[in-house]
Amino acid sequence: MGLFMGIIRIVLPVVIVGGIAVFVVKRLKHKYDQGNLGKNKSKGAQDLLDSLIPLGMLFGSAIGVIFNMFFSTSLLFTVSLGAGIGLLFGCVAYGIYSKKRTNHS
């Protein structure tokens, strides 16, 4: 039973983060196909919009490291799960910010 639990602990973050990544890529592809991908007229706003997803992953990884300091979990598990959740939040922020900026422009 110990070997099975070890394999589950290794595969679980890959499955969760892989599912999140596939969802985000499919959602962005769908927006691109419809022509609804966020475009801004100012370069600064477009740079911020383009960097929301990587920033979400960076902050998610940092939160995973902080979470690991207080709870006894695997660092690899918390950082990878944090990056996946940050990817999802970055995609949501991308959608919200692109709607907000395109409506006012």
Side-chain angles (χ1 to χ4, degrees):
M1 203 53 130
L3 178 65
F4 181 71
M5 289 303 293
I7 292 173
I8 292 296
R9 286 185 182 170
I10 292 170
V11 173
L12 188 63
V14 173
V15 170
I16 292 171
V17 174
I20 291 172
V22 167
F23 171 75
V24 168
V25 168
K26 291 287 187 179
R27 180 175 168 169
L28 289 175
K29 183 182 181 309
H30 179 71
K31 283 185 152 197
Y32 177 76
D33 290 341
Q34 287 185 337
N36 295 339
L37 207 56
K39 297 285 183 201
N40 288 320
K41 293 182 180 180
S42 70
K43 181 162 173 41
Q46 185 64 39
D47 288 342
L48 176 64
L49 184 65
D50 291 339
S51 63
L52 281 175
I53 293 175
L55 282 174
M57 291 179 69
L58 186 66
F59 285 127
S61 296
I63 290 171
V65 169
I66 293 169
F67 184 80
N68 187 37
M69 288 192 293
F70 295 110
F71 299 102
S72 63
T73 58
S74 169
L75 180 63
L76 182 65
F77 180 77
T78 56
V79 169
S80 62
L81 201 60
I85 293 170
L87 175 69
L88 187 61
F89 284 153
C91 183
V92 169
Y94 182 89
I96 292 171
Y97 188 72
S98 66
K99 283 181 186 177
K100 178 181 173 186
R101 300 305 270 168
T102 54
N103 287 341
H104 294 300
S105 296

